[in-house]
Amino acid sequence: MVTIHLQSKSFPLRASHDFSWLDSMGEVFAVFHEQDSGNISFGVRQEDGRKLFVKYAGAETVHYQGDIKEAVQRLQQAMAVYADLTHRSLINLVNHFATRDGYAAVFDWFEGENLHPHWSFPPPAKYTDPASPFYRYRQLPVEQRMASLDEIYAFHAAVEQKGYVAVDFYDGSIMYDFESDSTRICDIDFYRKGPFTNHMGRLWGSARFMSPEEFVKGAAIDGITNVFNMGATAFVLLGGELDRDYSKWEASPELYEVALKAVEPDRQQRYSSMAEFYEAWRRFF
């Protein structure tokens, strides 16, 4: 373990790393090093006051257990996905480039808070601490959360139209700005063209959001899989998460039935596409 000193910030890594390329971008005002994805991220303020979010792969972060070269390759490959799926609800990609030892992706800064702040508010604090972004989000009026969810659904309907399947979407992919009541998707690195076959056995993701087929080697992963993911998202933001009993549901009974159909374990019982699911949801929205 070594301590890296970068401008006014310090953070741990497994080994020394050159971040001098960041100096030319501006003032580093935030460092997000407690990630297990192989990435480390920075908040950077430029001379004109513009704020950027810089995601970087190539450094040996403390919590990443995989191959650094694979992390670099994943981030580099994800840039085409961000370019293809540009949307009002997705963080805006500004630039991306190779450094001597890795790869950097530069996004516009979004003044929101992540709804799964694992390192700051690990469960149960995530659900019970009044300072937790997720706790505060769940205290918002149902109408505000439904508008937020609609942004997520509109984006994933567009994802399907572009021929992509969402992989590794969970509440850690959602940013919410409590000041402006706006929502952004912040991490689509694993989204890919579909349908495809599950060759891993267990795909990347949170079990709270994942469909049965995402745990089965050889299973088809497609738009019906994403229907499950979006139904599960409704239960996380409006209901009892994995406890999908109606008593925990805060929206209308009609929307409950739509969400319940979406999370049917039997794929054939779900909506056939994100478009069909979103149309059914909007009917009672």
mmCIF file with all atom_site columns, all heavy atoms in Angstrom, residues 107-122:
data_model
loop_
_atom_site.group_PDB
_atom_site.id
_atom_site.type_symbol
_atom_site.label_atom_id
_atom_site.label_alt_id
_atom_site.label_comp_id
_atom_site.label_asym_id
_atom_site.label_entity_id
_atom_site.label_seq_id
_atom_site.pdbx_PDB_ins_code
_atom_site.Cartn_x
_atom_site.Cartn_y
_atom_site.Cartn_z
_atom_site.occupancy
_atom_site.B_iso_or_equiv
_atom_site.pdbx_formal_charge
_atom_site.auth_seq_id
_atom_site.auth_comp_id
_atom_site.auth_asym_id
_atom_site.auth_atom_id
_atom_site.pdbx_PDB_model_num
ATOM 1   N N   . PHE A 1 107 ? -16.274 13.254 -18.338 1.00 0.00 ? 107 PHE A N   1
ATOM 2   C CA  . PHE A 1 107 ? -17.701 13.559 -18.425 1.00 0.00 ? 107 PHE A CA  1
ATOM 3   C C   . PHE A 1 107 ? -17.975 14.931 -17.810 1.00 0.00 ? 107 PHE A C   1
ATOM 4   O O   . PHE A 1 107 ? -17.227 15.408 -16.963 1.00 0.00 ? 107 PHE A O   1
ATOM 5   C CB  . PHE A 1 107 ? -18.519 12.521 -17.635 1.00 0.00 ? 107 PHE A CB  1
ATOM 6   C CG  . PHE A 1 107 ? -18.349 11.099 -18.100 1.00 0.00 ? 107 PHE A CG  1
ATOM 7   C CD1 . PHE A 1 107 ? -17.330 10.301 -17.577 1.00 0.00 ? 107 PHE A CD1 1
ATOM 8   C CD2 . PHE A 1 107 ? -19.206 10.547 -19.037 1.00 0.00 ? 107 PHE A CD2 1
ATOM 9   C CE1 . PHE A 1 107 ? -17.168 8.985  -17.994 1.00 0.00 ? 107 PHE A CE1 1
ATOM 10  C CE2 . PHE A 1 107 ? -19.046 9.230  -19.455 1.00 0.00 ? 107 PHE A CE2 1
ATOM 11  C CZ  . PHE A 1 107 ? -18.029 8.457  -18.936 1.00 0.00 ? 107 PHE A CZ  1
ATOM 12  N N   . ASP A 1 108 ? -19.082 15.550 -18.228 1.00 0.00 ? 108 ASP A N   1
ATOM 13  C CA  . ASP A 1 108 ? -19.553 16.722 -17.508 1.00 0.00 ? 108 ASP A CA  1
ATOM 14  C C   . ASP A 1 108 ? -19.911 16.319 -16.087 1.00 0.00 ? 108 ASP A C   1
ATOM 15  O O   . ASP A 1 108 ? -20.491 15.239 -15.869 1.00 0.00 ? 108 ASP A O   1
ATOM 16  C CB  . ASP A 1 108 ? -20.795 17.320 -18.195 1.00 0.00 ? 108 ASP A CB  1
ATOM 17  C CG  . ASP A 1 108 ? -20.452 18.180 -19.392 1.00 0.00 ? 108 ASP A CG  1
ATOM 18  O OD1 . ASP A 1 108 ? -19.410 18.869 -19.349 1.00 0.00 ? 108 ASP A OD1 1
ATOM 19  O OD2 . ASP A 1 108 ? -21.227 18.166 -20.369 1.00 0.00 ? 108 ASP A OD2 1
ATOM 20  N N   . TRP A 1 109 ? -19.578 17.154 -15.135 1.00 0.00 ? 109 TRP A N   1
ATOM 21  C CA  . TRP A 1 109 ? -19.925 16.912 -13.736 1.00 0.00 ? 109 TRP A CA  1
ATOM 22  C C   . TRP A 1 109 ? -21.426 17.070 -13.550 1.00 0.00 ? 109 TRP A C   1
ATOM 23  O O   . TRP A 1 109 ? -22.048 17.966 -14.121 1.00 0.00 ? 109 TRP A O   1
ATOM 24  C CB  . TRP A 1 109 ? -19.175 17.898 -12.852 1.00 0.00 ? 109 TRP A CB  1
ATOM 25  C CG  . TRP A 1 109 ? -19.446 17.732 -11.391 1.00 0.00 ? 109 TRP A CG  1
ATOM 26  C CD1 . TRP A 1 109 ? -20.393 18.393 -10.647 1.00 0.00 ? 109 TRP A CD1 1
ATOM 27  C CD2 . TRP A 1 109 ? -18.774 16.861 -10.479 1.00 0.00 ? 109 TRP A CD2 1
ATOM 28  N NE1 . TRP A 1 109 ? -20.353 17.980 -9.345  1.00 0.00 ? 109 TRP A NE1 1
ATOM 29  C CE2 . TRP A 1 109 ? -19.366 17.039 -9.203  1.00 0.00 ? 109 TRP A CE2 1
ATOM 30  C CE3 . TRP A 1 109 ? -17.721 15.948 -10.625 1.00 0.00 ? 109 TRP A CE3 1
ATOM 31  C CZ2 . TRP A 1 109 ? -18.933 16.341 -8.081  1.00 0.00 ? 109 TRP A CZ2 1
ATOM 32  C CZ3 . TRP A 1 109 ? -17.297 15.253 -9.502  1.00 0.00 ? 109 TRP A CZ3 1
ATOM 33  C CH2 . TRP A 1 109 ? -17.900 15.453 -8.258  1.00 0.00 ? 109 TRP A CH2 1
ATOM 34  N N   . PHE A 1 110 ? -22.026 16.177 -12.770 1.00 0.00 ? 110 PHE A N   1
ATOM 35  C CA  . PHE A 1 110 ? -23.440 16.277 -12.420 1.00 0.00 ? 110 PHE A CA  1
ATOM 36  C C   . PHE A 1 110 ? -23.540 16.466 -10.914 1.00 0.00 ? 110 PHE A C   1
ATOM 37  O O   . PHE A 1 110 ? -22.965 15.685 -10.150 1.00 0.00 ? 110 PHE A O   1
ATOM 38  C CB  . PHE A 1 110 ? -24.199 15.018 -12.864 1.00 0.00 ? 110 PHE A CB  1
ATOM 39  C CG  . PHE A 1 110 ? -25.656 15.015 -12.469 1.00 0.00 ? 110 PHE A CG  1
ATOM 40  C CD1 . PHE A 1 110 ? -26.537 15.929 -13.027 1.00 0.00 ? 110 PHE A CD1 1
ATOM 41  C CD2 . PHE A 1 110 ? -26.146 14.110 -11.541 1.00 0.00 ? 110 PHE A CD2 1
ATOM 42  C CE1 . PHE A 1 110 ? -27.880 15.938 -12.667 1.00 0.00 ? 110 PHE A CE1 1
ATOM 43  C CE2 . PHE A 1 110 ? -27.479 14.101 -11.174 1.00 0.00 ? 110 PHE A CE2 1
ATOM 44  C CZ  . PHE A 1 110 ? -28.350 15.024 -11.741 1.00 0.00 ? 110 PHE A CZ  1
ATOM 45  N N   . GLU A 1 111 ? -24.253 17.487 -10.491 1.00 0.00 ? 111 GLU A N   1
ATOM 46  C CA  . GLU A 1 111 ? -24.326 17.821 -9.068  1.00 0.00 ? 111 GLU A CA  1
ATOM 47  C C   . GLU A 1 111 ? -25.292 16.926 -8.301  1.00 0.00 ? 111 GLU A C   1
ATOM 48  O O   . GLU A 1 111 ? -26.090 17.407 -7.502  1.00 0.00 ? 111 GLU A O   1
ATOM 49  C CB  . GLU A 1 111 ? -24.741 19.291 -8.898  1.00 0.00 ? 111 GLU A CB  1
ATOM 50  C CG  . GLU A 1 111 ? -23.719 20.294 -9.363  1.00 0.00 ? 111 GLU A CG  1
ATOM 51  C CD  . GLU A 1 111 ? -22.498 20.380 -8.462  1.00 0.00 ? 111 GLU A CD  1
ATOM 52  O OE1 . GLU A 1 111 ? -22.517 19.749 -7.384  1.00 0.00 ? 111 GLU A OE1 1
ATOM 53  O OE2 . GLU A 1 111 ? -21.543 21.067 -8.841  1.00 0.00 ? 111 GLU A OE2 1
ATOM 54  N N   . GLY A 1 112 ? -25.249 15.649 -8.557  1.00 0.00 ? 112 GLY A N   1
ATOM 55  C CA  . GLY A 1 112 ? -26.141 14.736 -7.870  1.00 0.00 ? 112 GLY A CA  1
ATOM 56  C C   . GLY A 1 112 ? -25.409 13.851 -6.883  1.00 0.00 ? 112 GLY A C   1
ATOM 57  O O   . GLY A 1 112 ? -24.183 13.919 -6.747  1.00 0.00 ? 112 GLY A O   1
ATOM 58  N N   . GLU A 1 113 ? -26.169 13.015 -6.196  1.00 0.00 ? 113 GLU A N   1
ATOM 59  C CA  . GLU A 1 113 ? -25.604 12.065 -5.241  1.00 0.00 ? 113 GLU A CA  1
ATOM 60  C C   . GLU A 1 113 ? -25.982 10.646 -5.658  1.00 0.00 ? 113 GLU A C   1
ATOM 61  O O   . GLU A 1 113 ? -27.096 10.392 -6.128  1.00 0.00 ? 113 GLU A O   1
ATOM 62  C CB  . GLU A 1 113 ? -26.128 12.367 -3.828  1.00 0.00 ? 113 GLU A CB  1
ATOM 63  C CG  . GLU A 1 113 ? -25.722 13.739 -3.326  1.00 0.00 ? 113 GLU A CG  1
ATOM 64  C CD  . GLU A 1 113 ? -26.261 14.022 -1.941  1.00 0.00 ? 113 GLU A CD  1
ATOM 65  O OE1 . GLU A 1 113 ? -25.842 13.320 -0.984  1.00 0.00 ? 113 GLU A OE1 1
ATOM 66  O OE2 . GLU A 1 113 ? -27.106 14.931 -1.811  1.00 0.00 ? 113 GLU A OE2 1
ATOM 67  N N   . ASN A 1 114 ? -25.053 9.737  -5.467  1.00 0.00 ? 114 ASN A N   1
ATOM 68  C CA  . ASN A 1 114 ? -25.271 8.350  -5.853  1.00 0.00 ? 114 ASN A CA  1
ATOM 69  C C   . ASN A 1 114 ? -26.230 7.681  -4.866  1.00 0.00 ? 114 ASN A C   1
ATOM 70  O O   . ASN A 1 114 ? -26.098 7.847  -3.649  1.00 0.00 ? 114 ASN A O   1
ATOM 71  C CB  . ASN A 1 114 ? -23.928 7.618  -5.872  1.00 0.00 ? 114 ASN A CB  1
ATOM 72  C CG  . ASN A 1 114 ? -24.022 6.266  -6.546  1.00 0.00 ? 114 ASN A CG  1
ATOM 73  O OD1 . ASN A 1 114 ? -24.594 5.336  -6.003  1.00 0.00 ? 114 ASN A OD1 1
ATOM 74  N ND2 . ASN A 1 114 ? -23.455 6.161  -7.725  1.00 0.00 ? 114 ASN A ND2 1
ATOM 75  N N   . LEU A 1 115 ? -27.195 6.926  -5.387  1.00 0.00 ? 115 LEU A N   1
ATOM 76  C CA  . LEU A 1 115 ? -28.201 6.303  -4.516  1.00 0.00 ? 115 LEU A CA  1
ATOM 77  C C   . LEU A 1 115 ? -27.722 5.010  -3.860  1.00 0.00 ? 115 LEU A C   1
ATOM 78  O O   . LEU A 1 115 ? -28.448 4.431  -3.051  1.00 0.00 ? 115 LEU A O   1
ATOM 79  C CB  . LEU A 1 115 ? -29.492 6.045  -5.299  1.00 0.00 ? 115 LEU A CB  1
ATOM 80  C CG  . LEU A 1 115 ? -30.241 7.293  -5.781  1.00 0.00 ? 115 LEU A CG  1
ATOM 81  C CD1 . LEU A 1 115 ? -31.610 6.896  -6.319  1.00 0.00 ? 115 LEU A CD1 1
ATOM 82  C CD2 . LEU A 1 115 ? -30.386 8.336  -4.677  1.00 0.00 ? 115 LEU A CD2 1
ATOM 83  N N   . HIS A 1 116 ? -26.518 4.572  -4.199  1.00 0.00 ? 116 HIS A N   1
ATOM 84  C CA  . HIS A 1 116 ? -25.954 3.415  -3.490  1.00 0.00 ? 116 HIS A CA  1
ATOM 85  C C   . HIS A 1 116 ? -24.532 3.770  -3.042  1.00 0.00 ? 116 HIS A C   1
ATOM 86  O O   . HIS A 1 116 ? -23.544 3.256  -3.579  1.00 0.00 ? 116 HIS A O   1
ATOM 87  C CB  . HIS A 1 116 ? -25.941 2.177  -4.382  1.00 0.00 ? 116 HIS A CB  1
ATOM 88  C CG  . HIS A 1 116 ? -25.477 0.931  -3.679  1.00 0.00 ? 116 HIS A CG  1
ATOM 89  N ND1 . HIS A 1 116 ? -26.220 0.304  -2.703  1.00 0.00 ? 116 HIS A ND1 1
ATOM 90  C CD2 . HIS A 1 116 ? -24.343 0.197  -3.810  1.00 0.00 ? 116 HIS A CD2 1
ATOM 91  C CE1 . HIS A 1 116 ? -25.551 -0.768 -2.268  1.00 0.00 ? 116 HIS A CE1 1
ATOM 92  N NE2 . HIS A 1 116 ? -24.411 -0.847 -2.921  1.00 0.00 ? 116 HIS A NE2 1
ATOM 93  N N   . PRO A 1 117 ? -24.423 4.659  -2.047  1.00 0.00 ? 117 PRO A N   1
ATOM 94  C CA  . PRO A 1 117 ? -23.101 5.104  -1.574  1.00 0.00 ? 117 PRO A CA  1
ATOM 95  C C   . PRO A 1 117 ? -22.495 4.065  -0.636  1.00 0.00 ? 117 PRO A C   1
ATOM 96  O O   . PRO A 1 117 ? -22.420 4.244  0.581   1.00 0.00 ? 117 PRO A O   1
ATOM 97  C CB  . PRO A 1 117 ? -23.433 6.404  -0.837  1.00 0.00 ? 117 PRO A CB  1
ATOM 98  C CG  . PRO A 1 117 ? -24.823 6.184  -0.310  1.00 0.00 ? 117 PRO A CG  1
ATOM 99  C CD  . PRO A 1 117 ? -25.516 5.305  -1.320  1.00 0.00 ? 117 PRO A CD  1
ATOM 100 N N   . HIS A 1 118 ? -22.049 2.954  -1.234  1.00 0.00 ? 118 HIS A N   1
ATOM 101 C CA  . HIS A 1 118 ? -21.668 1.774  -0.457  1.00 0.00 ? 118 HIS A CA  1
ATOM 102 C C   . HIS A 1 118 ? -20.606 2.068  0.601   1.00 0.00 ? 118 HIS A C   1
ATOM 103 O O   . HIS A 1 118 ? -20.685 1.569  1.725   1.00 0.00 ? 118 HIS A O   1
ATOM 104 C CB  . HIS A 1 118 ? -21.160 0.684  -1.402  1.00 0.00 ? 118 HIS A CB  1
ATOM 105 C CG  . HIS A 1 118 ? -20.641 -0.533 -0.699  1.00 0.00 ? 118 HIS A CG  1
ATOM 106 N ND1 . HIS A 1 118 ? -21.493 -1.442 -0.094  1.00 0.00 ? 118 HIS A ND1 1
ATOM 107 C CD2 . HIS A 1 118 ? -19.391 -0.984 -0.471  1.00 0.00 ? 118 HIS A CD2 1
ATOM 108 C CE1 . HIS A 1 118 ? -20.765 -2.406 0.462   1.00 0.00 ? 118 HIS A CE1 1
ATOM 109 N NE2 . HIS A 1 118 ? -19.493 -2.151 0.242   1.00 0.00 ? 118 HIS A NE2 1
ATOM 110 N N   . TRP A 1 119 ? -19.615 2.891  0.242   1.00 0.00 ? 119 TRP A N   1
ATOM 111 C CA  . TRP A 1 119 ? -18.504 3.094  1.163   1.00 0.00 ? 119 TRP A CA  1
ATOM 112 C C   . TRP A 1 119 ? -18.862 4.094  2.265   1.00 0.00 ? 119 TRP A C   1
ATOM 113 O O   . TRP A 1 119 ? -18.374 3.980  3.384   1.00 0.00 ? 119 TRP A O   1
ATOM 114 C CB  . TRP A 1 119 ? -17.261 3.558  0.394   1.00 0.00 ? 119 TRP A CB  1
ATOM 115 C CG  . TRP A 1 119 ? -16.924 2.609  -0.710  1.00 0.00 ? 119 TRP A CG  1
ATOM 116 C CD1 . TRP A 1 119 ? -17.132 2.787  -2.052  1.00 0.00 ? 119 TRP A CD1 1
ATOM 117 C CD2 . TRP A 1 119 ? -16.370 1.289  -0.576  1.00 0.00 ? 119 TRP A CD2 1
ATOM 118 N NE1 . TRP A 1 119 ? -16.735 1.683  -2.755  1.00 0.00 ? 119 TRP A NE1 1
ATOM 119 C CE2 . TRP A 1 119 ? -16.262 0.739  -1.875  1.00 0.00 ? 119 TRP A CE2 1
ATOM 120 C CE3 . TRP A 1 119 ? -15.953 0.520  0.518   1.00 0.00 ? 119 TRP A CE3 1
ATOM 121 C CZ2 . TRP A 1 119 ? -15.749 -0.528 -2.107  1.00 0.00 ? 119 TRP A CZ2 1
ATOM 122 C CZ3 . TRP A 1 119 ? -15.438 -0.744 0.284   1.00 0.00 ? 119 TRP A CZ3 1
ATOM 123 C CH2 . TRP A 1 119 ? -15.351 -1.251 -1.016  1.00 0.00 ? 119 TRP A CH2 1
ATOM 124 N N   . SER A 1 120 ? -19.716 5.056  1.943   1.00 0.00 ? 120 SER A N   1
ATOM 125 C CA  . SER A 1 120 ? -20.109 6.062  2.940   1.00 0.00 ? 120 SER A CA  1
ATOM 126 C C   . SER A 1 120 ? -21.236 5.575  3.840   1.00 0.00 ? 120 SER A C   1
ATOM 127 O O   . SER A 1 120 ? -21.245 5.858  5.041   1.00 0.00 ? 120 SER A O   1
ATOM 128 C CB  . SER A 1 120 ? -20.557 7.350  2.227   1.00 0.00 ? 120 SER A CB  1
ATOM 129 O OG  . SER A 1 120 ? -19.559 7.836  1.382   1.00 0.00 ? 120 SER A OG  1
ATOM 130 N N   . PHE A 1 121 ? -22.184 4.858  3.245   1.00 0.00 ? 121 PHE A N   1
ATOM 131 C CA  . PHE A 1 121 ? -23.350 4.380  4.000   1.00 0.00 ? 121 PHE A CA  1
ATOM 132 C C   . PHE A 1 121 ? -23.614 2.914  3.672   1.00 0.00 ? 121 PHE A C   1
ATOM 133 O O   . PHE A 1 121 ? -24.603 2.587  2.997   1.00 0.00 ? 121 PHE A O   1
ATOM 134 C CB  . PHE A 1 121 ? -24.584 5.231  3.673   1.00 0.00 ? 121 PHE A CB  1
ATOM 135 C CG  . PHE A 1 121 ? -24.453 6.683  4.024   1.00 0.00 ? 121 PHE A CG  1
ATOM 136 C CD1 . PHE A 1 121 ? -24.071 7.605  3.060   1.00 0.00 ? 121 PHE A CD1 1
ATOM 137 C CD2 . PHE A 1 121 ? -24.691 7.123  5.316   1.00 0.00 ? 121 PHE A CD2 1
ATOM 138 C CE1 . PHE A 1 121 ? -23.934 8.951  3.371   1.00 0.00 ? 121 PHE A CE1 1
ATOM 139 C CE2 . PHE A 1 121 ? -24.560 8.464  5.643   1.00 0.00 ? 121 PHE A CE2 1
ATOM 140 C CZ  . PHE A 1 121 ? -24.178 9.379  4.674   1.00 0.00 ? 121 PHE A CZ  1
ATOM 141 N N   . PRO A 1 122 ? -22.747 2.017  4.131   1.00 0.00 ? 122 PRO A N   1
ATOM 142 C CA  . PRO A 1 122 ? -23.004 0.593  3.883   1.00 0.00 ? 122 PRO A CA  1
ATOM 143 C C   . PRO A 1 122 ? -24.283 0.165  4.606   1.00 0.00 ? 122 PRO A C   1
ATOM 144 O O   . PRO A 1 122 ? -24.597 0.692  5.679   1.00 0.00 ? 122 PRO A O   1
ATOM 145 C CB  . PRO A 1 122 ? -21.769 -0.095 4.474   1.00 0.00 ? 122 PRO A CB  1
ATOM 146 C CG  . PRO A 1 122 ? -21.241 0.867  5.492   1.00 0.00 ? 122 PRO A CG  1
ATOM 147 C CD  . PRO A 1 122 ? -21.541 2.233  4.960   1.00 0.00 ? 122 PRO A CD  1
#
